[in-house]
Amino acid sequence: MSVFFHEQLYRTNAVMTKLKNYPVTICGAGALGANIAENLARSGFDKLTVIDCDRIEERNLSTQPYYRSDVGAFKAKILANNLYRAIGTKVDAKTKELTPANTTQLLKDSQLIVDVFDNSVARQAVKDYANQLSIPCLHAGLSADYAEVIWNDVYRVPSEVNDDVCDYPLARNLVILTVAVTCEAIVSFIATAEQRNFSITQKDLTVQSFFE
Amino acid sequence: MTNIFKLINQIAIAEAQLHTTQFLAPCVKGGRVRTRVAGMVYTFTPKPSKFEGWGIFQPVDEKTATVVEEADLPQITEYLQHFPQIRLRLAHQLRKQTWLAYPVNEADVRQRLKVVKPIAVHLVTEGIAFEQIIARWNGQSCWFEEVDRRTDPVIVETLQSAVKQLIPAEELQLKGITPEIRTVYELATRRIEGFTQPQQDEKRLRKALQMGGGELNQFHDRSDYWTVDWTTADGVRHSSAIAKTDLTVVSSGICLSGRDRDFDLQSLVAVMEQQE
């Protein structure tokens, strides 16, 4: 019996084989990135790369799957180690800062990019690279009680004004809801090639199709 | 009978291959690394000589092997899987990443290793005193694999608290105590009479926090920094990463807009209190 027994029963063997062999790069290992990586790995993805140069801080522990003893260590490294220990999935962890100069080097092996960075410079670099090489790229982002999950064609990078702000309101439930929607958008894209965009609001618990 | 020239030739080919082959090995600081080719063991001094950890090595000559890169967890795990697992409880740090530990189950270790005694475990990267770990015994040395997640973390906290209260081993009482736990506690406390480095570190951290108005709960050694668990005057707990060299903040736990290094442990207390 496989680790992914229940997922397999739901998705079918054909889809599970696609997920296993689909190279996905997750840009960011914070609230969204770390939980998306864990969710995808536990859903059967076996070719995951995570890029993040940040270290774990105490304030991350409410929204990110790290331990107190991890404070001070690299997020991507700890995430990869935890997932290997948990289910044996080898995540490729890159503890480098993604910039327009190194996107090719960091993203070259991915067939699908998930952008969950916390700053517009890196988001723009990912969007430009995905556009240039026509690689499918899904952007997920949060703002107070609202979240968006949007594919590259429709996505606009948010203003730089909100960059480098760390003390923002963020509800764990919205994070987890957004993670689930993002992962479902990824799986359904791989299974059907359809790119679905979503907006999510926490207070009324709605998940709706996103219209530009 | 084997032709001696053929045998020498085989060894020469194997040796030639060695110089183009990378190998994985654990290495303690100041130690040497080994690999086996055609049944013969080759020993090398690592370059850099101060390297400590799991490395991928490339032989450069008969005596030296350079560190190509640090091995990742899957590679380390694959290596360790060749050796039997033993469960140990850490007693105290001997040096850097080497700890003295004691078996969790004496009967089990007696059956497998024929002898029960405190064991030095190498490359302990995430251990704290009294933590139960899984290690691998290769017949000569014991290598750390991971913290044993199956055990009750309360045991560790209770034992650490008992050390702070200077409770003698024979008076130690906790739910689920075993003779092995008492032995580990004895091993750990036996050395506390003298003024040791961890005590000096604790004194330094406690003093810095007290001057700022905070209180130290516990701290863990993370090679070049400590993870410090402390409390502000109004009782809020924090975990911060603090540099060993000058007690500057590596990671505060709150947002300091990338200016963490501008603060030290003492000034961090006031910053945290203002946040609250």
Side-chain angles (χ1 to χ4, degrees):
Chain A
M1 191 185 295
S2 153
V3 171
F4 310 108
F5 176 65
H6 295 289
E7 197 73 13
Q8 206 158 355
L9 289 180
Y10 179 72
R11 304 277 181 200
T12 74
N13 285 350
V15 171
M16 290 302 287
T17 306
K18 275 188 180 180
L19 304 187
K20 182 178 162 64
N21 299 316
Y22 213 93
V24 178
T25 299
I26 300 157
C27 298
L32 287 176
N35 286 302
I36 286 170
E38 172 156 14
N39 215 27
L40 292 181
R42 289 183 190 266
S43 302
F45 283 78
D46 199 33
K47 288 191 173 157
L48 294 174
T49 300
V50 175
I51 304 168
D52 197 308
C53 64
D54 284 347
R55 290 172 185 266
I56 296 159
E57 310 228 27
E58 186 188 39
R59 69 190 156 90
N60 301 144
L61 302 183
S62 65
T63 54
Q64 303 173 25
Y66 303 116
Y67 293 8
R68 274 190 303 160
S69 57
D70 299 332
V71 169
F74 284 113
K75 288 181 179 180
K77 185 93 180 161
I78 294 291
L79 185 62
N81 288 355
N82 285 350
L83 289 174
Y84 181 73
R85 288 196 172 112
I87 52 172
T89 300
K90 295 178 188 176
V91 174
D92 184 8
K94 296 186 193 299
T95 54
K96 282 184 179 171
E97 184 178 8
L98 186 140
T99 65
N102 65 11
T103 42
T104 308
Q105 183 207 340
L106 293 178
L107 299 173
K108 65 180 176 197
D109 297 325
S110 50
Q111 214 166 307
L112 169 64
I113 302 167
V114 185
D115 163 37
V116 278
F117 275 139
D118 61 357
N119 68 89
S120 53
V121 176
R123 279 189 183 271
Q124 187 68 56
V126 174
K127 180 177 165 61
D128 292 345
Y129 177 83
N131 273 340
Q132 198 185 331
L133 279 92
S134 302
I135 297 174
C137 177
L138 183 62
H139 304 264
L142 302 158
S143 176
D145 60 355
Y146 174 74
E148 284 179 349
V149 177
I150 300 176
W151 290 90
N152 215 31
D153 294 347
V154 189
Y155 179 71
R156 284 189 173 80
V157 176
S159 126
E160 282 183 31
V161 175
N162 293 325
D163 283 4
D164 299 325
V165 178
C166 334
D167 294 338
Y168 44 79
L170 181 58
R172 180 173 170 81
N173 286 339
L174 180 65
V175 171
I176 300 303
L177 189 56
T178 309
V179 166
V181 172
T182 307
C183 292
E184 196 55 37
I186 293 167
V187 173
S188 66
F189 168 73
I190 294 170
T192 66
E194 187 191 358
Q195 295 192 343
R196 295 192 291 166
N197 302 304
F198 295 98
S199 68
I200 301 150
T201 43
Q202 156 103 346
K203 282 185 182 162
D204 54 3
L205 285 174
T206 61
V207 179
Q208 293 185 335
S209 288
F210 176 85
F211 296 105
E212 199 184 0
Chain B
M1 192 178 161
T2 311
N3 182 327
I4 189 69
F5 295 108
K6 197 175 169 188
L7 193 60
I8 290 171
N9 197 31
Q10 276 174 356
I11 292 171
I13 292 169
E15 273 198 327
Q17 276 177 346
L18 182 64
H19 295 293
T20 57
T21 309
Q22 295 183 347
F23 66 93
L24 168 73
C27 181
V28 295
K29 195 172 179 183
R32 290 190 287 177
V33 289
R34 279 183 175 161
T35 190
R36 193 164 59 183
V37 176
M40 289 176 66
V41 175
Y42 293 83
T43 306
F44 301 94
T45 303
K47 192 180 172 185
S49 58
K50 286 181 182 170
F51 177 80
E52 182 171 44
W54 289 88
I56 307 288
F57 296 90
Q58 169 82 59
V60 283
D61 54 40
E62 289 77 21
K63 290 180 180 171
T64 317
T66 18
V67 180
V68 179
E69 59 180 344
E70 285 197 35
D72 62 22
L73 184 64
Q75 290 169 324
I76 297 166
T77 308
E78 200 181 326
Y79 180 101
L80 287 172
Q81 274 168 0
H82 293 99
F83 308 110
Q85 265 187 351
I86 45 173
R87 283 186 155 75
L88 303 167
R89 195 175 289 279
L90 297 174
H92 63 83
Q93 200 173 13
L94 291 170
R95 57 188 287 272
K96 295 284 179 186
Q97 294 182 5
T98 300
W99 283 67
L100 191 69
Y102 195 76
V104 166
N105 185 333
E106 289 180 350
D108 171 58
V109 170
R110 186 172 290 114
Q111 273 190 349
R112 294 201 280 159
L113 308 184
K114 311 294 176 211
V115 61
V116 176
K117 59 178 182 180
I119 299 171
V121 192
H122 303 294
L123 302 186
V124 181
T125 47
E126 53 179 325
I128 57 172
F130 303 124
E131 197 135 55
Q132 188 167 313
I133 62 156
I134 298 171
R136 299 274 179 162
W137 175 252
N138 71 359
Q140 284 186 325
S141 308
C142 198
W143 302 99
F144 173 81
E145 184 168 26
E146 61 178 320
V147 169
D148 189 350
R149 289 161 59 93
R150 281 192 256 173
T151 63
D152 183 356
V154 173
I155 293 174
V156 178
E157 284 187 14
T158 310
L159 291 173
Q160 285 178 339
S161 157
V163 170
K164 277 186 194 156
Q165 294 169 50
L166 301 173
I167 295 172
E170 56 276 15
E171 290 174 25
L172 187 65
Q173 292 205 350
L174 64 120
K175 196 183 167 198
I177 191 167
T178 60
E180 289 89 345
I181 289 179
R182 208 178 287 282
T183 306
V184 168
Y185 188 79
E186 272 175 23
L187 285 170
T189 51
R190 195 180 292 164
R191 59 201 285 277
I192 284 178
E193 281 117 37
F195 196 76
T196 59
Q197 189 61 44
Q199 283 175 301
Q200 286 179 12
D201 296 340
E202 180 171 341
K203 200 174 166 186
R204 198 172 153 214
L205 291 169
R206 195 174 291 283
K207 193 177 163 194
L209 282 165
Q210 273 171 353
M211 284 172 78
E215 195 188 335
L216 177 71
N217 299 328
Q218 54 182 328
F219 69 104
H220 305 307
D221 198 320
R222 307 284 180 218
S223 182
D224 57 339
Y225 65 91
W226 290 297
T227 310
V228 181
D229 184 359
W230 60 281
T231 313
T232 47
D234 49 2
V236 180
R237 281 181 79 152
H238 297 282
S239 295
S240 307
I242 303 296
K244 283 184 177 179
T245 46
D246 52 4
L247 299 192
T248 50
V249 177
V250 175
S251 162
S252 63
I254 60 155
C255 175
L256 295 176
S257 304
R259 290 176 48 230
D260 297 52
R261 286 278 184 187
D262 294 352
F263 297 89
D264 62 12
L265 187 57
Q266 187 185 327
S267 57
L268 181 63
V269 179
V271 175
M272 289 298 204
E273 282 173 347
Q274 279 164 19
Q275 281 278 323
E276 289 150 25

